[in-house]
Amino acid sequence: AAGGQASYSQVSNYFSSIANASSMTSANRSINEALGMFASPDTPVLIIIHQEGDQKDYDRPTTIQKFLNYLKDQKRFDEQIENLVFNDQGKITEVELKR
């Protein structure tokens, strides 16, 4: 999002459009656009696999670049965005997803 931080729904829409892309080319185009919202391609993505109260168990952490490519390969986005952490420039520095 130009001039401001991305909303949860924008990020979610990108994830879905990558997962549901009609071609490799359009998936890759969406990945490149989506990466612009993140502080770096190595921005950590944490996936909550179990939560009890404040205790969260995470899957093996991945990076946003790997996650976006995973969405492209799996052709589905089943998670929900639990939390996004932004830096002062409005770029995302951490993503927390829930299965």
Side-chain angles (χ1 to χ4, degrees), residues 15-36:
F15 288 175
S16 295
S17 69
I18 291 163
N20 300 308
S22 53
S23 70
M24 208 52 107
T25 311
S26 80
N28 288 332
R29 191 179 312 122
S30 294
I31 287 175
N32 288 332
E33 283 177 28
L35 283 172

Side-chain angles (χ1 to χ4, degrees), residues 5-6 14 18 32 34 40 43-44 54 58 75 85 93:
Q5 60 186 41
Y14 264 112
I18 291 163
N32 288 332
S40 99
T43 296
D54 290 338
Y58 295 102
K75 302 199 183 308
V85 181
T93 57

